Amino acid sequence: MSSESIQSTLQETRSFAPPASFVSQANISSVEQYQQMWQRGKDDPAGFWGDLAAELHWFRKWDTVLEGEMPNTKWFTGGKINASFNCLDRHLTTWRKNKAAIIWEGEPGDTRVLTYQDLHREVCKFANVLKRLGVRTGDRVTLYLPLIPELTIAMLACARIGATHSIIFGGFSADAVADRNNDAEAKVIVTADGGWRRGKEVLLKQAVDESLKKSPTVQKVVVVRRTGMQVHMMPDRDYWWNDLMSDVSADCDAVELDSEHPLFILYTSGSTGKPKGVVHTTGGYLLGAMMTSKWVFDLKEDDTYWCTADIGWITGHSYVAYGPLCNGSTVVMYEGAPNWPDEGRFWDIIEKYRVSVFYTAPTAIRAFIKWGDHWPAKYDLSSLRLLGSVGEPINPEAWMWYHRMIGAERCPIVDTWWQTETGAIMLSPLPGVTPTKPGSCTQPLPGVVCDIVDKEGNSLGPNEGGLLVLRQPWPSMLRTLYGDHERFVQTYFSTVPGCYFAGDGARKDEDGYVWIMGRVDDVLNVAGHRLSTMEVESALVAHEAVAEAAVVGFPHDIKGEGICCFVTLKSGDGSEALERDLIQHVRKQIGALATPDKIRFTPALPKTRSGKIMRRLLRDIAAGRESVGDTTTLEDLSVMAKLREQEE
Ligand code: WTA
């Protein structure tokens, strides 16, 4: 946290009780029940989580529920389990075997439905393909795919044989793929020729080809044919998915893995340039994803559930794949953009499949508002019974619009706070219990003990802004950062003694409701995605014309935060051509999601006398605000004046 204290200006007094008709059918339906669960989770975590874990299938029951203390905890040690078995095989002995597991729609309008039995068969076959390609338990496999069923199939196939998957969102560039392949020492990468996004092809295989020039550990490439575009296939390295699948057996036993076996690595941005490989293990993660899906989304056997996240993000891992499939739910998946072929696409999908539970992001909601009420108004959304939000604080106006236009004032809204590192939702209303306030993620779920503290770890009082911490370990927490345990301890456990520090600022109101105030470190939240300012700065500085760069966020109507880059050049003045070149350069180094919104050339950056860039001042300039804070440590006061002049 910077030296500034955190000030909160948001005042919101509206409150919405869960509708009686919802309460009467909810999985958790009374305040007493919630309080009792929460208290037990706090006082007796081992008993609480141990009882719940009995809902999973274990080849061998654990000896100990919880071993060790934060930061080094282990869950369900001695237990043997398999995530793929839990998401698939155990449903096959019930009527669910012919239930739709995935209802998928491609952007061009093509559709596929896979029942649990279908999914099981494809997963077993692909697990055998992976084995044939030399993948063994403990190896890492990179998945770089569009949002198509093969992504779910490949992840569950990895889980089945105990290969740790590392999924990279399709919007990342070749360089980002290479970095992640190298860090994880991936042996195999699964990709597609391309994917569809707003009618255009995303060139995935081409990016993989480029990345492999720099990532020597990858020996084999599997390519799904999705768009049909021409791609280069290198003999003895690249194979078509369909060819490999045509002659493998559909029998593949799920490997009995230790509960603490690493299920996946997922890279996320931290406050330094190098992405962090967040490691999640099997038993605890699965339990977290399963239970929170049931509590927060109130999943019922006949729900049609749609989480719009890409599986390339943690939200997709936990709430498109592992959580709902573990519960035997029907999951809707849509490959493409919300405004293709027009701005009604999401509502069309909800009407068509009679979606009942819908989980999306504030950035999407703000785009819907901008596109106009007539889009959702054209469609029948009466199948919806519950709405969710994730990724960033939802502003009260967007919340109210969601409540009115999409939920018809009938559907509870669950604003869920959590992170890649937490694996599962930590703070959220329970839809049948918690009165909601627009903009607040309300209260901790059972098993979660959170607090808002100052840097010494002292609890703060109502409406005092501070650091959000978790005081007690939980089963789905990250276990380490891949290959860098020291950084793991340093990042999450060194700021506040004895606690997990999330990196977010927050306050609790007089009712104990939590209001997230955003990141307190150098992490941007652009359209719900985490980007480090350092990553964008490193990308800029790698350009031959750039001497120095400072990157800050600024308020953006749709994306929440936009990216503003202050750049000093080695020589000469900036030009529009150079600006375009720099934007392209950042896209190439990181990916389209990091596209700068503004490039500002400046002869110098505001620095302290010790040489630290004063980002606070740059944030003010980027946002068009007056700087009110202290500038006495600024080395060269004229820099600020020059930057301000450019504004006019
Ligand atoms: C932010 C996404 C406010 C927060 C699941 C967190 C939120 C970061 C919310 C994690 C929310 C996520 N209200 N802020 N409901 N949900 N955030 O790892 O800053 O991509 O630290 O995980 O997003 O982002 P990540």
Side-chain angles (χ1 to χ4, degrees):
M1 186 169 52
S2 67
S3 54
E4 308 135 66
S5 64
I6 307 173
Q7 292 244 326
S8 169
T9 49
L10 195 66
Q11 279 298 331
E12 175 59 57
T13 50
R14 287 169 287 202
S15 170
F16 297 85
S21 56
F22 195 99
V23 177
S24 61
Q25 59 81 61
N27 290 345
I28 302 181
S29 59
S30 73
V31 177
E32 296 71 43
Q33 195 186 352
Y34 160 68
Q35 279 170 348
Q36 202 190 353
M37 289 170 80
W38 188 84
Q39 202 59 46
R40 175 141 193 254
K42 180 166 185 277
D43 299 342
D44 175 22
F48 175 73
W49 290 110
D51 283 355
L52 294 171
E55 292 188 34
L56 287 167
H57 171 274
W58 298 84
F59 298 112
R60 180 184 186 278
K61 198 183 164 183
W62 58 90
D63 301 316
T64 317
V65 174
L66 171 59
E67 240 182 80
E69 282 169 17
M70 287 205 291
N72 300 309
T73 54
K74 290 182 176 169
W75 289 84
F76 307 109
T77 43
K80 297 279 186 191
I81 189 166
N82 186 290
S84 162
F85 190 97
N86 272 282
C87 290
L88 301 169
D89 303 53
R90 69 194 176 115
H91 305 312
L92 300 188
T93 51
T94 72
W95 69 271
R96 285 186 189 138
K97 86 178 168 172
N98 289 321
K99 176 177 178 176
I102 297 176
I103 298 178
W104 175 83
E105 185 164 302
E107 193 183 74
D110 45 339
T111 60
R112 281 161 72 185
V113 177
L114 283 92
T115 64
Y116 274 93
Q117 191 158 248
D118 293 334
L119 188 59
H120 177 262
R121 185 183 58 248
E122 297 304 304
V123 167
C124 288
K125 283 171 69 179
F126 196 65
N128 283 330
V129 165
L130 288 174
K131 285 197 257 181
R132 203 199 264 180
L133 294 176
V135 177
R136 300 283 169 263
T137 304
D139 287 343
R140 273 81 54 214
V141 174
T142 297
L143 311 179
Y144 181 59
L145 284 157
L147 196 52
I148 54 178
E150 282 77 6
L151 181 46
T152 315
I153 293 166
M155 73 197 289
L156 292 176
C158 288
R160 198 161 188 88
I161 61 172
T164 301
H165 57 71
S166 160
I167 305 186
I168 306 176
F169 172 62
F172 279 108
S173 69
D175 287 351
V177 174
D179 288 348
R180 288 156 174 74
N181 278 339
N182 289 336
D183 192 77
E185 297 171 288
K187 200 168 185 180
V188 167
I189 180 164
V190 184
T191 189
D193 46 2
W196 291 112
R197 190 78 194 171
R198 253 173 234 111
K200 291 208 186 71
E201 282 161 301
V202 182
L203 310 181
L204 296 172
K205 176 59 165 65
Q206 190 179 307
V208 166
D209 291 343
E210 223 182 298
S211 77
L212 292 192
K213 291 179 196 152
K214 297 183 208 162
S215 39
T217 61
V218 178
Q219 295 157 16
K220 304 284 180 198
V221 182
V222 182
V223 188
V224 178
R225 200 188 279 287
R226 167 65 189 130
T227 64
M229 71 195 295
Q230 266 246 283
V231 292
H232 173 71
M233 297 291 280
M234 188 191 279
D236 300 326
R237 189 196 73 180
D238 303 352
Y239 304 87
W240 290 108
W241 172 289
N242 281 348
D243 292 348
L244 295 171
M245 291 286 270
S246 66
D247 61 350
V248 279
S249 147
D251 288 326
C252 176
D253 284 341
V255 178
E256 302 186 9
L257 300 164
D258 287 337
S259 176
E260 284 292 321
H261 185 79
L263 178 60
F264 64 86
I265 304 170
L266 182 57
Y267 286 88
T268 187
S269 294
S271 45
T272 64
K274 192 173 174 282
K276 304 181 287 198
V278 169
V279 176
H280 281 289
T281 59
T282 308
Y285 169 79
L286 205 58
L287 181 62
M290 176 173 78
M291 295 319 302
T292 52
S293 300
K294 210 187 307 213
W295 295 336
V296 176
F297 301 118
D298 193 52
L299 287 179
K300 297 286 166 13
E301 202 62 82
D302 55 358
D303 269 316
T304 304
Y305 162 86
W306 184 22
C307 164
T308 66
D310 193 287
I311 291 182
W313 307 108
I314 190 67
T315 305
H317 280 64
S318 301
Y319 299 110
V320 178
Y322 289 113
L325 295 177
C326 205
N327 280 299
S329 304
T330 295
V331 176
V332 172
M333 263 167 91
Y334 165 60
E335 176 189 31
N339 52 351
W340 189 268
D342 64 35
E343 282 73 9
R345 187 62 184 268
F346 273 21
W347 321 126
D348 180 58
I349 291 173
I350 290 174
E351 177 181 285
K352 184 163 163 194
Y353 300 107
R354 311 300 297 151
V355 170
S356 54
V357 178
F358 179 64
Y359 188 31
T360 195
T363 184
I365 297 169
R366 288 191 298 266
F368 301 144
I369 296 173
K370 187 173 148 224
W371 294 335
D373 292 0
H374 58 287
W375 287 109
K378 278 210 302 205
Y379 295 90
D380 176 5
L381 306 180
S382 61
S383 57
L384 290 171
R385 66 182 195 91
L386 177 61
L387 303 174
S389 166
V390 63
E392 57 179 308
I394 177 168
N395 40 310
E397 286 331 296
W399 195 102
M400 288 305 299
W401 183 89
Y402 201 27
H403 171 69
R404 260 197 323 267
M405 270 316 290
I406 309 305
E409 300 180 6
R410 170 189 76 236
C411 306
I413 295 180
V414 288
D415 174 359
T416 63
W417 178 89
W418 60 295
Q419 310 178 292
T420 306
E421 292 87 343
T422 68
I425 299 169
M426 298 280 104
L427 295 161
S428 169
L430 291 170
V433 175
T434 320
T436 49
K437 300 185 190 183
S440 168
C441 59
T442 74
Q443 291 178 328
L445 292 183
V448 176
V449 182
C450 72
D451 201 356
I452 291 160
V453 300
D454 63 17
K455 272 201 160 170
E456 281 69 51
N458 304 309
S459 300
L460 295 173
N463 293 318
E464 289 184 322
L467 308 174
L468 178 62
V469 296
L470 301 170
R471 288 199 177 274
Q472 207 171 274
W474 65 101
S476 66
M477 73 189 286
L478 81 165
R479 298 297 191 267
T480 189
L481 293 175
Y482 192 73
D484 201 347
H485 197 68
E486 189 45 45
R487 188 178 177 196
F488 159 76
V489 175
Q490 186 63 31
T491 309
Y492 305 106
F493 301 94
S494 69
T495 313
V496 182
C499 296
Y500 168 87
F501 170 48
D504 283 327
R507 70 174 165 101
K508 258 188 211 173
D509 68 16
E510 46 290 324
D511 299 325
Y513 276 41
V514 176
W515 299 76
I516 305 289
M517 289 147 64
R519 303 288 307 187
V520 296
D521 51 14
D522 291 328
V523 175
L524 302 174
N525 191 331
V526 179
H529 302 315
R530 276 160 72 175
L531 276 175
S532 108
T533 53
M534 289 276 288
E535 259 172 291
V536 183
E537 283 165 11
S538 322
L540 286 165
V541 175
H543 188 281
E544 57 193 9
V546 176
E548 205 174 23
V551 170
V552 296
F554 67 96
H556 187 286
D557 284 353
I558 303 294
K559 296 197 278 188
E561 229 173 353
I563 304 174
C564 179
C565 311
F566 293 87
V567 174
T568 60
L569 298 175
K570 287 182 182 153
S571 64
D573 295 329
S575 64
E576 266 178 40
L578 182 58
E579 186 176 330
R580 278 196 299 274
D581 198 37
L582 290 178
I583 290 174
Q584 277 315 314
H585 177 77
V586 173
R587 287 175 64 107
K588 181 168 179 304
Q589 294 248 317
I590 306 176
L593 68 166
T595 309
D597 297 276
K598 294 184 192 166
I599 303 264
R600 306 262 313 251
F601 296 106
T602 167
L605 293 168
K607 288 186 188 167
T608 61
R609 279 167 214 154
S610 60
K612 254 184 105 183
I613 295 172
M614 295 183 75
R615 290 163 197 286
R616 176 170 58 82
L617 300 180
L618 292 174
R619 274 195 290 270
D620 289 339
I621 291 182
R625 277 192 304 259
E626 277 296 314
S627 294
V628 286
D630 183 18
T631 52
T632 49
T633 54
L634 188 65
E635 223 233 339
D636 175 5
L637 279 167
S638 67
V639 172
M640 287 299 289
K642 281 183 203 131
L643 279 166
R644 293 240 180 257
E645 267 165 38
Q646 285 181 12
E647 285 277 280
E648 274 114 46

